[in-house]
Amino acid sequence: MAAKTYTLEVVKQHNKPEDLWIIIEGKVYDVTKFRNEHPGGEETLDEVGGRDATRDFQDVGHSQEAKQMLKKYYIGDLEVDKTCKLPVSTTPTPSLPPQLPPTTTQSSANIVKPEAANTIIADKDVAPPGKQCCVLA
Ligand code: HEM
C-alpha cells in the first residue's frame, strides 16, 4: 500500500509539544510520544516541530541506533510540491529531440548528446545545493 503523504502546510500545524511532527529526509515522523524519551532533550525536538529537521538531525551525528529508531515514529511521506524545482538527481530526464543517424552531410559533432543537454538544464533550472526546494527554506 502506498505511504500516506502530508503537505508541508499540514505538517506545520503539528508544532506543539502535545502534537509534534518533524520531517527528516522527506519522511514525516510523529515524535509526540518520543519527545520525553529523547536523549538530546525535549526542547531540541520542540524547536524543529512542524518543520524539516533533516539538517539538525544530521548535524548531531546521530548513531545507527538512533536512525533505526526513526522507523518507529514514521507516519508517512512529505508530499512533493510539484511547482518546486528539485535538485537534478530527482528531476526526470527531460525529453530530448529525436536523434537522427548521422548522414553524409551531417557530422556526428552536431548531434546533441543527452549528457550535454542535462548539463545545460542543471546549470540554469536547478536550485543551488543546500537550497532544496521549498522544504528547507
Ligand atoms: C525521531 C527523531 C530522532 C531520534 C529517534 C533521535 C534519537 C536520538 C538518540 C538515540 C540520541 C542518543 C545519541 C545517539 O544514539 O545518537 C540522540 C541524541 C541527540 N539528539 Fe536526537 N533524535 C531525533 C531527532 C533529533 C533532532 C531533530 C535533533 C535536533 C534538532 C536532535 C538532537 C539531538 C541531540 C543534540 C542529541 C545529544 C547528542 C549528544 O549528547 O552527544 N535529535 N537522539
Side-chain angles (χ1 to χ4, degrees):
M1 203 174 79
K4 198 165 167 33
T5 58
Y6 302 95
T7 62
L8 189 57
E9 287 309 308
V10 167
V11 177
K12 272 182 187 170
Q13 287 158 23
H14 301 266
N15 62 353
K16 293 165 278 301
E18 66 279 9
D19 178 19
L20 198 66
W21 292 9
I22 59 172
I23 302 162
I24 298 174
E25 291 178 357
K27 292 188 164 65
V28 182
Y29 300 93
D30 182 344
V31 292
T32 314
K33 294 201 176 80
F34 174 65
R35 76 181 272 288
N36 296 325
E37 301 161 24
H38 182 222
E42 304 174 3
E43 304 77 21
T44 336
L45 291 183
D46 292 347
E47 276 168 26
V48 294
R51 70 168 173 88
D52 194 308
T54 307
R55 208 160 294 160
D56 307 84
F57 185 82
Q58 289 169 349
D59 284 353
V60 172
H62 279 91
S63 64
Q64 277 306 319
E65 194 193 338
K67 287 171 192 161
Q68 285 294 318
M69 287 169 75
L70 284 175
K71 289 182 197 160
K72 205 171 152 190
Y73 305 101
Y74 172 74
I75 53 167
D77 294 331
L78 185 70
E79 190 175 302
V80 178
D81 182 345
K82 308 231 172 24
T83 62
C84 286
K85 297 200 185 306
L86 293 170
V88 75
S89 56
T90 52
T91 309
T93 310
S95 51
L96 297 168
Q99 288 189 18
L100 299 170
T103 63
T104 46
T105 54
Q106 185 187 30
S107 110
S108 61
N110 290 336
I111 295 176
V112 179
K113 295 208 171 69
E115 313 86 80
N118 276 337
T119 309
I120 295 161
I121 287 158
D123 277 353
K124 61 182 173 77
D125 275 351
V126 171
K131 196 148 198 310
Q132 277 206 345
C133 197
C134 319
V135 179
L136 295 176

